[in-house]
Amino acid sequence: QVQLVESGGGLVQAGGSLRLSCTASGIDFRRTRMDWYRQAPGKQRELVAFITSGGSTWYAGSVKGRFTISRDNAKNTVYLQMNSLKPEDTAVYYCNAPADGRNYWGRGTQVTVSS
């Protein structure tokens, strides 16, 4: 059974930082690309960043230079370090693992940035 469990969300003031974690089980983690998505109220879910099995990364333009994605294969965990947070970063953040021909999702963690 595949499980993705996110943690680390919370309320932070603009300019602050948070680090999200997503721990996976039931997948071949070290061979799986790991994604972070977010969904703000009334908006579509959007891809924020991903990291390949080889460690290559991609970022959405809106977060490039502020967010850093990383992974620890020994812990089956992917991280999203978020710095210089803005109110527009407020959203539910989801971990996604494209594996076995489908997408596996976590339940999400709420990030709220106050101005």
Side-chain angles (χ1 to χ4, degrees):
Q1 182 181 359
V2 177
Q3 273 196 317
L4 302 177
V5 180
E6 301 98 334
S7 62
L11 173 64
V12 64
Q13 288 189 330
S17 298
L18 285 173
R19 189 176 82 153
L20 306 183
S21 300
C22 169
T23 300
S25 58
I27 60 172
D28 188 353
F29 182 84
R30 63 181 61 247
R31 294 184 178 181
T32 301
R33 190 186 95 177
M34 297 298 297
D35 305 343
W36 281 102
Y37 282 76
R38 68 185 180 187
Q39 187 166 20
K43 294 189 176 181
Q44 288 191 331
R45 193 171 296 191
E46 63 172 350
L47 179 62
V48 174
F50 68 74
I51 183 166
T52 68
S53 58
S56 298
T57 59
W58 176 91
Y59 299 94
S62 58
V63 307
K64 202 167 187 178
R66 300 188 297 122
F67 291 10
T68 302
I69 189 170
S70 61
R71 64 191 297 157
D72 185 337
N73 289 338
K75 296 182 178 179
N76 281 13
T77 299
V78 61
Y79 304 98
L80 188 68
Q81 177 67 43
M82 306 187 294
N83 299 329
S84 302
L85 283 162
K86 304 175 181 180
E88 51 263 44
D89 294 318
T90 295
V92 179
Y93 284 71
Y94 297 92
C95 179
N96 174 69
D100 306 323
R102 57 165 288 182
N103 286 306
Y104 295 98
W105 295 93
R107 289 189 173 186
T109 186
Q110 175 71 46
V111 171
T112 303
V113 184
S114 63
S115 57

